[in-house]
Amino acid sequence: MDTIVVAGASAAGLSAARQLRKSGFAGSIQLVDEEPHGPYRRPKVSKGLLNGQVDTNSIAVRWPDELGLEQVFGTRLTALDLQSRELHITSDSGAAVLGFDGLVIATGACARQTPFDTELRGVYTLRTLSDAMAMREDLDHAASVAIVGGGFIGLEVAAVARAMGKSVTVLETSDRPLGRVLGPVFADHIAGIHRERGVELLCEVAVTGLLAGPGNAVAGVALTDGTAVEADVVLVAVGSAPAVDWLASSGLDLTDGVLCDATLAVEGAQDVVAAGDIASWWNPLYGRRMRVEHWTNATEQGAYAARRLLGLHDMNGFVSAPYFWSDQHGMRLQSIGTTIGHDRADIVECAGERLVVAYSREGRLTCVAGINSGTAVQSYRKMVLEGETRDAMRNISDATADIAR
């Protein structure tokens, strides 16, 4: 290969570019991304940027000049032609084509489209640096914030806004925030932490639309029961979707991201790999297909995908017990593994706001999650990776309550 294009300056894309050089690739690496200001540490978007604790310079990702990356920023990917091995792009300078010998698809995910009137001032989704900077200005002057969606982004922003002294209401369609991801016991624990700090959580509610105030500014959120929640700022945090629109004409399977085999090689394409939020791959650890939207998974997959492209990969495939964290109210929520499909959840530790829960399926440990738990979760990483039995966790007693999903 003479030219490798990395599509997306995401955590996965940057990791792939670094690994290509580390593995000895001396050819041209072109890093293409739609955002004009260069790569940055995306987890900070819903945390430090909103309250001003960090600025754009401190979260920028920089790399040594010796990596020799050609930066093609402010450029939108519009199509992939696998037959001619070309990427179609467009920018302020017009349309162009990039040829490649190898390709890393790492365009990540984007915020789901809001069904509400986004012409009102003070209404945001939160995915990019630009989103965060725009919302930060309004948040500084707001008295009240409504958050549509009680997922990780919604709860992180709720914690940030509450710490800034704002009145915060989270609107969630299910019976508890994060219940589908973490199960009822952990989800109720998280909800309690938020409520104790003054966040109003309204569950099993649906939003019909947004209310307009003077000057075309948002004034609140209308609910299906006829009530309304007043708000100066509204965040719509209803999830994300893999950024695959530009691949629509490629012929690739885009059912849930980009379909890959266990080694992250894209099905139906030669010398093309995918990594990060966009990659749907067969995870040998769990014996099923997965797509993971977490920073650590993205960096690890990016490095593996680069080695796969160069033929230097582990032939067993990319084996992962996904790790993620979420900072809320000065506490860190951590999880190793996956809770999807678990049939039992056991409380390992519970003391005050500290909680550690082990999830298993058919007796096999699949995930350990905790909040305010220090290094406890990390201590179980090896057990999750090796698929230990639930009973192998010494500090789970036989008297621990069974919590069926």
Side-chain angles (χ1 to χ4, degrees):
M1 296 184 190
D2 294 321
T3 300
I4 294 177
V5 173
V6 179
S10 59
L14 294 174
S15 179
R18 291 190 183 101
Q19 185 63 49
L20 287 170
R21 291 299 190 220
K22 185 177 180 180
S23 296
F25 178 71
S28 170
I29 301 176
Q30 296 177 311
L31 184 63
V32 184
D33 197 83
E34 185 172 359
E35 295 193 56
H37 34 61
Y40 52 91
R41 292 193 292 276
R42 193 174 294 275
K44 291 296 183 180
V45 164
S46 59
K47 301 178 181 70
L49 272 176
L50 287 181
N51 59 13
Q53 290 184 355
V54 298
D55 58 25
T56 56
N57 288 329
S58 64
I59 69 168
V61 174
R62 298 176 175 85
W63 51 80
D65 291 340
E66 55 263 29
L67 286 182
L69 307 182
E70 181 182 343
Q71 305 168 30
V72 189
F73 297 152
T75 300
R76 188 166 64 89
L77 294 155
T78 58
L80 167 62
D81 188 329
L82 289 170
Q83 186 172 2
S84 62
R85 307 190 68 73
E86 292 177 336
L87 283 171
H88 293 256
I89 60 175
T90 184
S91 66
D92 291 342
S93 302
V97 171
L98 294 177
F100 63 86
D101 300 309
L103 173 64
V104 180
I105 299 177
T107 45
C110 53
R112 290 193 183 279
Q113 291 293 322
T114 172
F116 312 120
D117 183 3
T118 56
E119 297 302 316
L120 294 175
R121 291 189 295 107
V123 181
Y124 296 95
T125 56
L126 188 58
R127 189 72 191 181
T128 68
L129 177 62
S130 298
D131 294 338
M133 295 307 296
M135 184 176 173
R136 172 178 164 178
E137 185 173 349
D138 274 352
L139 193 59
D140 282 341
H141 302 95
S144 56
V145 180
I147 299 171
V148 182
F152 288 110
I153 296 296
L155 294 181
E156 286 179 359
V157 174
V160 169
R162 191 72 193 101
M164 295 172 69
K166 315 300 179 183
S167 172
V168 180
T169 303
V170 176
L171 306 166
E172 170 60 36
T173 57
S174 65
D175 59 352
R176 48 174 62 85
L178 300 179
R180 183 183 65 83
V181 179
L182 295 173
V185 169
F186 207 114
D188 287 345
H189 188 82
I190 296 293
I193 289 173
H194 279 269
R195 288 189 170 112
E196 288 173 7
R197 284 159 175 75
V199 175
E200 184 176 12
L201 293 177
L202 300 182
C203 297
E204 297 183 288
V205 298
V207 176
T208 59
L210 305 180
L211 304 176
N216 204 39
V218 70
V221 178
L223 306 181
T224 53
D225 63 3
T227 62
V229 175
E230 294 184 359
D232 303 317
V233 169
V234 174
L235 172 66
V236 181
V238 293
S240 59
V244 296
D245 288 354
W246 65 282
L247 296 167
S249 62
S250 66
L252 298 177
D253 187 328
L254 307 175
T255 303
D256 180 29
V258 175
L259 185 70
C260 305
D261 66 14
T263 68
L264 303 181
V266 174
E267 299 282 5
Q270 183 179 356
D271 295 325
V272 180
V273 294
D277 299 4
I278 202 169
S280 172
W281 95 106
W282 184 265
N283 188 341
L285 179 62
Y286 294 102
R288 66 176 179 82
R289 187 162 294 285
M290 298 179 70
R291 190 177 64 80
V292 177
E293 296 186 6
H294 299 310
W295 185 86
T296 303
N297 180 77
T299 57
E300 292 174 351
Q301 275 194 339
Y304 181 97
R307 293 192 296 271
R308 172 64 179 88
L309 202 56
L310 300 177
L312 303 174
H313 58 295
D314 181 345
M315 298 298 292
N316 293 321
F318 180 74
V319 178
S320 172
Y323 169 76
F324 77 88
W325 78 93
S326 174
D327 294 330
Q328 301 178 27
H329 299 293
M331 289 176 279
R332 175 154 290 189
L333 188 161
Q334 301 176 80
S335 174
I336 291 178
T338 178
T339 63
I340 295 174
H342 75 273
D343 55 27
R344 176 167 171 156
D346 293 291
I347 297 174
V348 180
E349 299 178 53
C350 185
E353 293 181 328
R354 178 185 177 93
L355 178 68
V356 179
V357 174
Y359 301 84
S360 56
R361 179 176 177 82
E362 298 177 351
R364 176 193 170 197
L365 187 65
T366 60
C367 178
V368 177
I371 188 168
N372 203 30
S373 55
T375 60
V377 171
Q378 290 286 356
S379 69
Y380 295 111
R381 180 180 178 88
K382 185 172 184 290
M383 297 182 71
V384 174
L385 279 168
E386 294 180 355
E388 292 277 8
T389 63
R390 179 183 66 246
D391 295 335
M393 297 183 68
R394 296 178 182 176
N395 52 352
I396 299 181
S397 70
D398 291 338
T400 302
D402 179 87
I403 308 151
R405 187 177 177 206

